[in-house]
Amino acid sequence: MSKAVGKIFGGGAEASTSMHTGEREILDYLNNYNTANYDQTLNNLTSYAANASNQLNNMGNYNFSISASDDARQRAEQAVYNSYVDKLQPQFADQTSDLATRLANQGISVGSEAYSRAMTDLQNNQNNALNQAAYQSVLAGQDAYSKSLNDQLVAAGFTNTAQSNYINQLLQALQNSYSGYDIAMDKYKVQSGADDRIAQNRQYNNQMYQNAGNQFINSATTAAITSLLSDERLKENIVPVGRLDNGLTIYCFNFKGSHVPLIGLMAQEVQKVIPSAVIEGDDGFLRVRYDIACKSLPAGNKTLTQDKEN
C-alpha cells in the first residue's frame, strides 16, 4: 500500500530507469562497426607469430648470427704476399748479381770468408724484406676479415630493420581500429553499466515511494490531522491505489474544479466501518478524522472488505 501511495505523491525526484540516449547511440555505433579488416590483419599477424615461434632457428629473413669470411682473409693475405714477392724476386736477383760483380772487382774470390760474409748479409736483408711482406699480408688479411664482418653486420641490420619496419607498419595500421573482441567488450561495458544504473535507480525509486507512503500513513495517524473534507460527492477521477490495515480503501482523486492529484479515503466508506471517524460539517459535506480512521478496528469488528465478502 505505502508504495502505491508514495508513487502517486512522488517519492522525491524519480531516477531514470531506462537507457540514456548516449548509451543507445554508442551501442548502435558498436553494433554497426565493421571489424572484418582488423580481425583479418590481426589473424595474419597471429599466424605469422605462431609460425615464427615454431621455427625460431629458421625465422624468415631475420639474422640472429653472423660470421665473417675466412676465405676472404686468406685470399687477401696471399694476394698481398704474392704482390710483394713478385716485386722483390727481381730485385733480389739484381742485388745478388751486383754484389758478386762488386766483390770480384775488389779481388774477393768466391768461397772466401769475405765473400761468404757479404753474401750472408745480403740474404739476411732480403729475408727481412720477405718477413715485412708477410707481415703486411697478414694485416691485409685482417682488414679483409674485418671488412667482411662489418659487411655482414650492415647487411643483417638492414634486413632485420626492413622486416621490423614492415611489421611496425602493420601494427600502426591497426591503431585506432577495433577487433571483434574489442567491440564485444565495449558493448558489454555499455550495456552492463546501463543495467547496473537502471537497477540502482529502480531500487532508489522503490525506496522513495516506500518512504513517501510511510510518511503519509504516519502523518495521517497523528493528532495534528483532526478532520479533512473527504466527501465522495466533491471528488472525481477516483482510482483505488491501496488499502489500510483495517480494510479501508485508499484512493487517488482530485476535487472537482481542481487538477491537483490527492490521495485519501472516501468519507461515505469510512462512515460505514468507523462512524466515529466521520463528521458532517455545517455545509452538509462529510469530513474524516484520519487519526481515528487509520487505526486498526477493535477485535470482532468487520472491515469493509469483510462486509463485501460476506
Short mmCIF file of all heavy atoms in Angstrom, two decimals, residues 103-161:
data_model
loop_
_atom_site.label_atom_id
_atom_site.label_comp_id
_atom_site.label_asym_id
_atom_site.label_seq_id
_atom_site.Cartn_x
_atom_site.Cartn_y
_atom_site.Cartn_z
N LEU A 103 132.27 -7.69 -55.66
CA LEU A 103 133.29 -8.43 -54.89
C LEU A 103 134.43 -8.92 -55.79
O LEU A 103 135.61 -8.91 -55.40
CB LEU A 103 132.63 -9.64 -54.17
CG LEU A 103 131.65 -9.29 -53.04
CD1 LEU A 103 130.97 -10.55 -52.52
CD2 LEU A 103 132.38 -8.55 -51.91
N ALA A 104 134.05 -9.35 -56.99
CA ALA A 104 135.10 -9.80 -57.93
C ALA A 104 136.01 -8.65 -58.31
O ALA A 104 137.23 -8.79 -58.42
CB ALA A 104 134.43 -10.42 -59.16
N ASN A 105 135.44 -7.49 -58.54
CA ASN A 105 136.24 -6.31 -58.90
C ASN A 105 137.16 -5.91 -57.75
O ASN A 105 138.21 -5.29 -57.96
CB ASN A 105 135.33 -5.13 -59.25
CG ASN A 105 134.58 -5.37 -60.58
OD1 ASN A 105 135.05 -6.17 -61.42
ND2 ASN A 105 133.47 -4.68 -60.75
N GLN A 106 136.71 -6.28 -56.53
CA GLN A 106 137.54 -5.93 -55.37
C GLN A 106 138.59 -7.03 -55.11
O GLN A 106 139.35 -6.94 -54.16
CB GLN A 106 136.64 -5.75 -54.13
CG GLN A 106 135.73 -4.53 -54.23
CD GLN A 106 134.79 -4.42 -53.04
OE1 GLN A 106 134.78 -5.31 -52.18
NE2 GLN A 106 134.01 -3.33 -52.99
N GLY A 107 138.55 -8.08 -55.92
CA GLY A 107 139.55 -9.15 -55.77
C GLY A 107 139.18 -10.14 -54.71
O GLY A 107 140.03 -10.91 -54.25
N ILE A 108 137.89 -10.13 -54.29
CA ILE A 108 137.42 -11.09 -53.28
C ILE A 108 136.85 -12.28 -54.03
O ILE A 108 135.86 -12.16 -54.77
CB ILE A 108 136.37 -10.45 -52.36
CG1 ILE A 108 136.95 -9.23 -51.64
CG2 ILE A 108 135.86 -11.48 -51.36
CD1 ILE A 108 135.95 -8.45 -50.83
N SER A 109 137.45 -13.40 -53.86
CA SER A 109 137.08 -14.58 -54.64
C SER A 109 135.92 -15.30 -53.98
O SER A 109 135.69 -15.22 -52.76
CB SER A 109 138.28 -15.53 -54.77
OG SER A 109 138.70 -15.95 -53.48
N VAL A 110 135.20 -16.09 -54.83
CA VAL A 110 134.07 -16.89 -54.34
C VAL A 110 134.61 -17.95 -53.38
O VAL A 110 135.62 -18.60 -53.65
CB VAL A 110 133.34 -17.56 -55.51
CG1 VAL A 110 132.22 -18.46 -55.00
CG2 VAL A 110 132.80 -16.52 -56.47
N GLY A 111 133.96 -18.16 -52.24
CA GLY A 111 134.37 -19.13 -51.26
C GLY A 111 135.21 -18.55 -50.15
O GLY A 111 135.44 -19.21 -49.14
N SER A 112 135.70 -17.33 -50.35
CA SER A 112 136.49 -16.70 -49.30
C SER A 112 135.56 -16.26 -48.17
O SER A 112 134.34 -16.14 -48.34
CB SER A 112 137.26 -15.50 -49.85
OG SER A 112 136.35 -14.50 -50.27
N GLU A 113 136.18 -16.03 -47.03
CA GLU A 113 135.37 -15.60 -45.87
C GLU A 113 134.69 -14.27 -46.12
O GLU A 113 133.51 -14.09 -45.75
CB GLU A 113 136.28 -15.52 -44.64
CG GLU A 113 135.51 -15.16 -43.38
CD GLU A 113 136.43 -15.09 -42.16
OE1 GLU A 113 137.58 -15.47 -42.26
OE2 GLU A 113 135.91 -14.64 -41.10
N ALA A 114 135.38 -13.37 -46.75
CA ALA A 114 134.78 -12.05 -47.03
C ALA A 114 133.61 -12.18 -47.99
O ALA A 114 132.58 -11.50 -47.86
CB ALA A 114 135.85 -11.12 -47.62
N TYR A 115 133.78 -13.08 -48.96
CA TYR A 115 132.71 -13.28 -49.95
C TYR A 115 131.47 -13.86 -49.26
O TYR A 115 130.34 -13.39 -49.47
CB TYR A 115 133.22 -14.22 -51.05
CG TYR A 115 132.25 -14.38 -52.21
CD1 TYR A 115 132.34 -13.54 -53.33
CD2 TYR A 115 131.25 -15.36 -52.19
CE1 TYR A 115 131.46 -13.69 -54.38
CE2 TYR A 115 130.37 -15.49 -53.24
CZ TYR A 115 130.46 -14.65 -54.35
OH TYR A 115 129.59 -14.80 -55.41
N SER A 116 131.69 -14.87 -48.43
CA SER A 116 130.56 -15.52 -47.75
C SER A 116 129.84 -14.54 -46.81
O SER A 116 128.61 -14.51 -46.71
CB SER A 116 131.08 -16.72 -46.95
OG SER A 116 131.64 -17.69 -47.82
N ARG A 117 130.65 -13.72 -46.10
CA ARG A 117 130.05 -12.76 -45.17
C ARG A 117 129.21 -11.74 -45.92
O ARG A 117 128.12 -11.38 -45.47
CB ARG A 117 131.16 -12.08 -44.37
CG ARG A 117 130.60 -11.21 -43.25
CD ARG A 117 131.69 -10.72 -42.29
NE ARG A 117 132.77 -10.06 -42.97
CZ ARG A 117 133.97 -10.61 -43.16
NH1 ARG A 117 134.24 -11.84 -42.68
NH2 ARG A 117 134.94 -9.96 -43.79
N ALA A 118 129.66 -11.29 -47.06
CA ALA A 118 128.93 -10.29 -47.83
C ALA A 118 127.63 -10.87 -48.36
O ALA A 118 126.56 -10.23 -48.32
CB ALA A 118 129.80 -9.78 -48.97
N MET A 119 127.70 -12.12 -48.86
CA MET A 119 126.50 -12.75 -49.39
C MET A 119 125.48 -13.03 -48.26
O MET A 119 124.26 -12.90 -48.45
CB MET A 119 126.85 -14.06 -50.09
CG MET A 119 127.50 -13.85 -51.46
SD MET A 119 126.31 -13.02 -52.55
CE MET A 119 127.32 -12.83 -54.05
N THR A 120 125.98 -13.43 -47.09
CA THR A 120 125.09 -13.69 -45.95
C THR A 120 124.36 -12.43 -45.53
O THR A 120 123.15 -12.44 -45.22
CB THR A 120 125.90 -14.26 -44.78
OG1 THR A 120 126.49 -15.52 -45.17
CG2 THR A 120 125.00 -14.49 -43.56
N ASP A 121 125.07 -11.32 -45.49
CA ASP A 121 124.43 -10.05 -45.12
C ASP A 121 123.33 -9.70 -46.12
O ASP A 121 122.25 -9.22 -45.73
CB ASP A 121 125.48 -8.93 -45.08
CG ASP A 121 126.44 -9.08 -43.91
OD1 ASP A 121 126.06 -9.81 -42.95
OD2 ASP A 121 127.51 -8.46 -43.95
N LEU A 122 123.61 -9.95 -47.42
CA LEU A 122 122.61 -9.64 -48.44
C LEU A 122 121.37 -10.52 -48.25
O LEU A 122 120.22 -10.04 -48.33
CB LEU A 122 123.21 -9.85 -49.83
CG LEU A 122 122.22 -9.62 -51.00
CD1 LEU A 122 121.68 -8.19 -50.98
CD2 LEU A 122 122.90 -9.94 -52.33
N GLN A 123 121.56 -11.79 -48.00
CA GLN A 123 120.42 -12.70 -47.82
C GLN A 123 119.59 -12.34 -46.57
O GLN A 123 118.36 -12.44 -46.58
CB GLN A 123 120.95 -14.14 -47.71
CG GLN A 123 121.47 -14.70 -49.03
CD GLN A 123 122.10 -16.08 -48.88
OE1 GLN A 123 122.14 -16.63 -47.78
NE2 GLN A 123 122.60 -16.63 -49.98
N ASN A 124 120.29 -11.93 -45.52
CA ASN A 124 119.56 -11.51 -44.32
C ASN A 124 118.66 -10.30 -44.60
O ASN A 124 117.51 -10.23 -44.13
CB ASN A 124 120.54 -11.18 -43.19
CG ASN A 124 121.19 -12.43 -42.61
OD1 ASN A 124 120.67 -13.53 -42.71
ND2 ASN A 124 122.38 -12.24 -41.99
N ASN A 125 119.21 -9.36 -45.38
CA ASN A 125 118.41 -8.18 -45.75
C ASN A 125 117.20 -8.59 -46.60
O ASN A 125 116.09 -8.06 -46.45
CB ASN A 125 119.26 -7.17 -46.49
CG ASN A 125 120.27 -6.51 -45.57
OD1 ASN A 125 120.06 -6.40 -44.36
ND2 ASN A 125 121.39 -6.05 -46.13
N GLN A 126 117.45 -9.52 -47.50
CA GLN A 126 116.36 -9.98 -48.37
C GLN A 126 115.31 -10.74 -47.55
O GLN A 126 114.09 -10.59 -47.78
CB GLN A 126 116.91 -10.86 -49.48
CG GLN A 126 117.75 -10.08 -50.51
CD GLN A 126 118.39 -10.99 -51.55
OE1 GLN A 126 118.41 -12.22 -51.41
NE2 GLN A 126 118.90 -10.37 -52.62
N ASN A 127 115.74 -11.57 -46.58
CA ASN A 127 114.78 -12.27 -45.72
C ASN A 127 113.95 -11.29 -44.89
O ASN A 127 112.75 -11.50 -44.64
CB ASN A 127 115.52 -13.23 -44.80
CG ASN A 127 116.05 -14.45 -45.53
OD1 ASN A 127 115.54 -14.82 -46.60
ND2 ASN A 127 117.12 -15.05 -45.00
N ASN A 128 114.58 -10.23 -44.43
CA ASN A 128 113.83 -9.19 -43.69
C ASN A 128 112.73 -8.57 -44.56
O ASN A 128 111.64 -8.29 -44.09
CB ASN A 128 114.77 -8.10 -43.18
CG ASN A 128 115.65 -8.60 -42.05
OD1 ASN A 128 115.30 -9.56 -41.34
ND2 ASN A 128 116.82 -7.95 -41.86
N ALA A 129 113.09 -8.38 -45.84
CA ALA A 129 112.09 -7.82 -46.76
C ALA A 129 110.93 -8.78 -46.94
O ALA A 129 109.76 -8.38 -47.00
CB ALA A 129 112.76 -7.51 -48.11
N LEU A 130 111.25 -10.08 -47.03
CA LEU A 130 110.17 -11.08 -47.16
C LEU A 130 109.32 -11.13 -45.89
O LEU A 130 108.09 -11.30 -45.96
CB LEU A 130 110.78 -12.45 -47.46
CG LEU A 130 111.40 -12.62 -48.85
CD1 LEU A 130 112.10 -13.98 -48.97
CD2 LEU A 130 110.33 -12.47 -49.95
N ASN A 131 109.95 -11.06 -44.73
CA ASN A 131 109.20 -11.04 -43.48
C ASN A 131 108.26 -9.84 -43.41
O ASN A 131 107.13 -9.92 -42.92
CB ASN A 131 110.15 -11.04 -42.29
CG ASN A 131 110.86 -12.38 -42.12
OD1 ASN A 131 110.37 -13.42 -42.57
ND2 ASN A 131 112.03 -12.35 -41.48
N GLN A 132 108.78 -8.70 -43.87
CA GLN A 132 107.95 -7.49 -43.88
C GLN A 132 106.76 -7.68 -44.83
O GLN A 132 105.64 -7.24 -44.55
CB GLN A 132 108.79 -6.29 -44.32
CG GLN A 132 108.05 -4.95 -44.27
CD GLN A 132 107.64 -4.59 -42.84
OE1 GLN A 132 108.32 -4.96 -41.87
NE2 GLN A 132 106.53 -3.89 -42.70
N ALA A 133 107.00 -8.37 -45.96
CA ALA A 133 105.93 -8.65 -46.91
C ALA A 133 104.88 -9.55 -46.27
O ALA A 133 103.66 -9.36 -46.43
CB ALA A 133 106.49 -9.31 -48.17
N ALA A 134 105.36 -10.57 -45.51
CA ALA A 134 104.43 -11.47 -44.84
C ALA A 134 103.61 -10.72 -43.79
O ALA A 134 102.39 -10.94 -43.63
CB ALA A 134 105.20 -12.62 -44.20
N TYR A 135 104.23 -9.83 -43.05
CA TYR A 135 103.55 -9.04 -42.04
C TYR A 135 102.47 -8.17 -42.68
O TYR A 135 101.33 -8.08 -42.18
CB TYR A 135 104.56 -8.19 -41.29
CG TYR A 135 103.94 -7.23 -40.29
CD1 TYR A 135 103.39 -7.70 -39.10
CD2 TYR A 135 103.90 -5.86 -40.55
CE1 TYR A 135 102.81 -6.82 -38.20
CE2 TYR A 135 103.33 -4.98 -39.66
CZ TYR A 135 102.77 -5.47 -38.48
OH TYR A 135 102.20 -4.60 -37.58
N GLN A 136 102.82 -7.54 -43.77
CA GLN A 136 101.86 -6.69 -44.46
C GLN A 136 100.69 -7.51 -45.01
O GLN A 136 99.53 -7.06 -45.02
CB GLN A 136 102.55 -5.93 -45.61
CG GLN A 136 103.58 -4.91 -45.16
CD GLN A 136 102.95 -3.81 -44.31
OE1 GLN A 136 101.81 -3.41 -44.52
NE2 GLN A 136 103.73 -3.32 -43.34
N SER A 137 101.01 -8.73 -45.46
CA SER A 137 99.93 -9.58 -45.98
C SER A 137 98.97 -9.99 -44.87
O SER A 137 97.75 -10.10 -45.07
CB SER A 137 100.51 -10.81 -46.67
OG SER A 137 101.14 -11.67 -45.73
N VAL A 138 99.52 -10.26 -43.65
CA VAL A 138 98.66 -10.60 -42.52
C VAL A 138 97.74 -9.43 -42.17
O VAL A 138 96.54 -9.60 -41.90
CB VAL A 138 99.51 -11.00 -41.30
CG1 VAL A 138 98.63 -11.11 -40.05
CG2 VAL A 138 100.21 -12.33 -41.56
N LEU A 139 98.31 -8.21 -42.16
CA LEU A 139 97.47 -7.03 -41.88
C LEU A 139 96.36 -6.88 -42.91
O LEU A 139 95.22 -6.55 -42.58
CB LEU A 139 98.35 -5.78 -41.86
CG LEU A 139 99.35 -5.64 -40.71
CD1 LEU A 139 100.16 -4.36 -40.86
CD2 LEU A 139 98.63 -5.67 -39.37
N ALA A 140 96.75 -7.13 -44.16
CA ALA A 140 95.75 -7.02 -45.22
C ALA A 140 94.65 -8.06 -45.03
O ALA A 140 93.46 -7.81 -45.26
CB ALA A 140 96.41 -7.18 -46.58
N GLY A 141 95.03 -9.29 -44.60
CA GLY A 141 94.05 -10.34 -44.35
C GLY A 141 93.11 -9.97 -43.21
O GLY A 141 91.89 -10.22 -43.29
N GLN A 142 93.67 -9.38 -42.16
CA GLN A 142 92.84 -8.95 -41.04
C GLN A 142 91.88 -7.84 -41.45
O GLN A 142 90.71 -7.82 -41.04
CB GLN A 142 93.72 -8.49 -39.88
CG GLN A 142 94.50 -9.61 -39.22
CD GLN A 142 95.44 -9.11 -38.14
OE1 GLN A 142 95.72 -7.92 -38.05
NE2 GLN A 142 95.96 -10.03 -37.32
N ASP A 143 92.36 -6.93 -42.25
CA ASP A 143 91.48 -5.87 -42.75
C ASP A 143 90.35 -6.46 -43.58
O ASP A 143 89.19 -6.03 -43.48
CB ASP A 143 92.29 -4.88 -43.59
CG ASP A 143 93.20 -4.01 -42.74
OD1 ASP A 143 92.96 -3.95 -41.50
OD2 ASP A 143 94.14 -3.41 -43.28
N ALA A 144 90.68 -7.44 -44.40
CA ALA A 144 89.66 -8.07 -45.24
C ALA A 144 88.63 -8.80 -44.38
O ALA A 144 87.42 -8.77 -44.66
CB ALA A 144 90.32 -9.05 -46.21
N TYR A 145 89.13 -9.47 -43.32
CA TYR A 145 88.22 -10.19 -42.43
C TYR A 145 87.28 -9.20 -41.70
O TYR A 145 86.07 -9.41 -41.60
CB TYR A 145 89.03 -10.98 -41.41
CG TYR A 145 88.19 -11.88 -40.53
CD1 TYR A 145 87.86 -13.16 -40.94
CD2 TYR A 145 87.75 -11.45 -39.28
CE1 TYR A 145 87.09 -14.00 -40.14
CE2 TYR A 145 86.97 -12.27 -38.48
CZ TYR A 145 86.66 -13.54 -38.90
OH TYR A 145 85.90 -14.36 -38.11
N SER A 146 87.86 -8.09 -41.21
CA SER A 146 87.06 -7.07 -40.53
C SER A 146 86.03 -6.46 -41.46
O SER A 146 84.88 -6.22 -41.06
CB SER A 146 87.97 -5.98 -39.95
OG SER A 146 88.85 -6.53 -38.99
N LYS A 147 86.45 -6.19 -42.69
CA LYS A 147 85.52 -5.62 -43.66
C LYS A 147 84.39 -6.61 -43.96
O LYS A 147 83.22 -6.22 -44.07
CB LYS A 147 86.26 -5.26 -44.94
CG LYS A 147 85.38 -4.57 -45.98
CD LYS A 147 86.18 -4.18 -47.19
CE LYS A 147 85.30 -3.40 -48.18
NZ LYS A 147 84.08 -4.13 -48.57
N SER A 148 84.74 -7.88 -44.08
CA SER A 148 83.72 -8.89 -44.32
C SER A 148 82.73 -8.96 -43.16
O SER A 148 81.52 -9.05 -43.37
CB SER A 148 84.38 -10.26 -44.53
OG SER A 148 83.41 -11.27 -44.63
N LEU A 149 83.27 -8.90 -41.93
CA LEU A 149 82.41 -8.92 -40.75
C LEU A 149 81.50 -7.71 -40.71
O LEU A 149 80.30 -7.81 -40.41
CB LEU A 149 83.27 -8.99 -39.49
CG LEU A 149 82.52 -9.12 -38.16
CD1 LEU A 149 81.74 -10.42 -38.11
CD2 LEU A 149 83.50 -9.03 -36.99
N ASN A 150 82.05 -6.55 -41.00
CA ASN A 150 81.25 -5.32 -40.99
C ASN A 150 80.18 -5.36 -42.07
O ASN A 150 79.03 -4.92 -41.85
CB ASN A 150 82.17 -4.12 -41.21
CG ASN A 150 81.43 -2.80 -41.09
OD1 ASN A 150 80.96 -2.43 -40.03
ND2 ASN A 150 81.32 -2.09 -42.22
N ASP A 151 80.55 -5.90 -43.24
CA ASP A 151 79.56 -6.01 -44.32
C ASP A 151 78.40 -6.91 -43.90
O ASP A 151 77.23 -6.64 -44.20
CB ASP A 151 80.22 -6.56 -45.59
CG ASP A 151 81.17 -5.56 -46.23
OD1 ASP A 151 81.08 -4.36 -45.88
OD2 ASP A 151 82.00 -5.99 -47.06
N GLN A 152 78.72 -8.00 -43.20
CA GLN A 152 77.68 -8.90 -42.72
C GLN A 152 76.77 -8.21 -41.70
O GLN A 152 75.55 -8.40 -41.70
CB GLN A 152 78.32 -10.15 -42.10
CG GLN A 152 79.01 -11.07 -43.09
CD GLN A 152 78.02 -11.74 -44.02
OE1 GLN A 152 76.94 -12.12 -43.61
NE2 GLN A 152 78.39 -11.87 -45.29
N LEU A 153 77.40 -7.43 -40.81
CA LEU A 153 76.63 -6.69 -39.82
C LEU A 153 75.68 -5.71 -40.48
O LEU A 153 74.50 -5.60 -40.11
CB LEU A 153 77.57 -5.94 -38.86
CG LEU A 153 78.27 -6.78 -37.80
CD1 LEU A 153 79.31 -5.93 -37.08
CD2 LEU A 153 77.27 -7.33 -36.79
N VAL A 154 76.18 -4.98 -41.45
CA VAL A 154 75.36 -3.99 -42.15
C VAL A 154 74.21 -4.67 -42.88
O VAL A 154 73.05 -4.23 -42.82
CB VAL A 154 76.22 -3.18 -43.12
CG1 VAL A 154 75.34 -2.28 -44.00
CG2 VAL A 154 77.23 -2.32 -42.36
N ALA A 155 74.53 -5.77 -43.57
CA ALA A 155 73.50 -6.48 -44.32
C ALA A 155 72.43 -7.06 -43.40
O ALA A 155 71.22 -6.95 -43.66
CB ALA A 155 74.14 -7.59 -45.15
N ALA A 156 72.88 -7.67 -42.28
CA ALA A 156 71.93 -8.25 -41.33
C ALA A 156 71.07 -7.17 -40.69
O ALA A 156 69.85 -7.33 -40.54
CB ALA A 156 72.67 -9.03 -40.25
N GLY A 157 71.70 -6.06 -40.33
CA GLY A 157 70.96 -4.96 -39.73
C GLY A 157 69.93 -4.39 -40.68
O GLY A 157 68.80 -4.09 -40.29
N PHE A 158 70.31 -4.24 -41.94
CA PHE A 158 69.38 -3.71 -42.94
C PHE A 158 68.19 -4.65 -43.12
O PHE A 158 67.03 -4.22 -43.14
CB PHE A 158 70.10 -3.53 -44.28
CG PHE A 158 69.19 -3.08 -45.39
CD1 PHE A 158 68.84 -1.75 -45.52
CD2 PHE A 158 68.66 -4.01 -46.29
CE1 PHE A 158 67.99 -1.33 -46.53
CE2 PHE A 158 67.81 -3.60 -47.29
CZ PHE A 158 67.48 -2.26 -47.43
N THR A 159 68.48 -5.95 -43.20
CA THR A 159 67.41 -6.94 -43.39
C THR A 159 66.47 -6.95 -42.19
O THR A 159 65.24 -6.94 -42.34
CB THR A 159 68.01 -8.34 -43.60
OG1 THR A 159 68.86 -8.31 -44.75
CG2 THR A 159 66.91 -9.37 -43.82
N ASN A 160 67.05 -6.99 -41.00
CA ASN A 160 66.23 -7.04 -39.79
C ASN A 160 65.40 -5.77 -39.62
O ASN A 160 64.24 -5.80 -39.21
CB ASN A 160 67.10 -7.26 -38.56
CG ASN A 160 67.71 -8.66 -38.53
OD1 ASN A 160 67.33 -9.52 -39.29
ND2 ASN A 160 68.67 -8.87 -37.64
N THR A 161 66.01 -4.63 -39.93
CA THR A 161 65.29 -3.36 -39.81
C THR A 161 64.14 -3.30 -40.80
O THR A 161 63.03 -2.86 -40.47
CB THR A 161 66.25 -2.19 -40.06
OG1 THR A 161 67.28 -2.21 -39.07
CG2 THR A 161 65.51 -0.86 -39.99
#
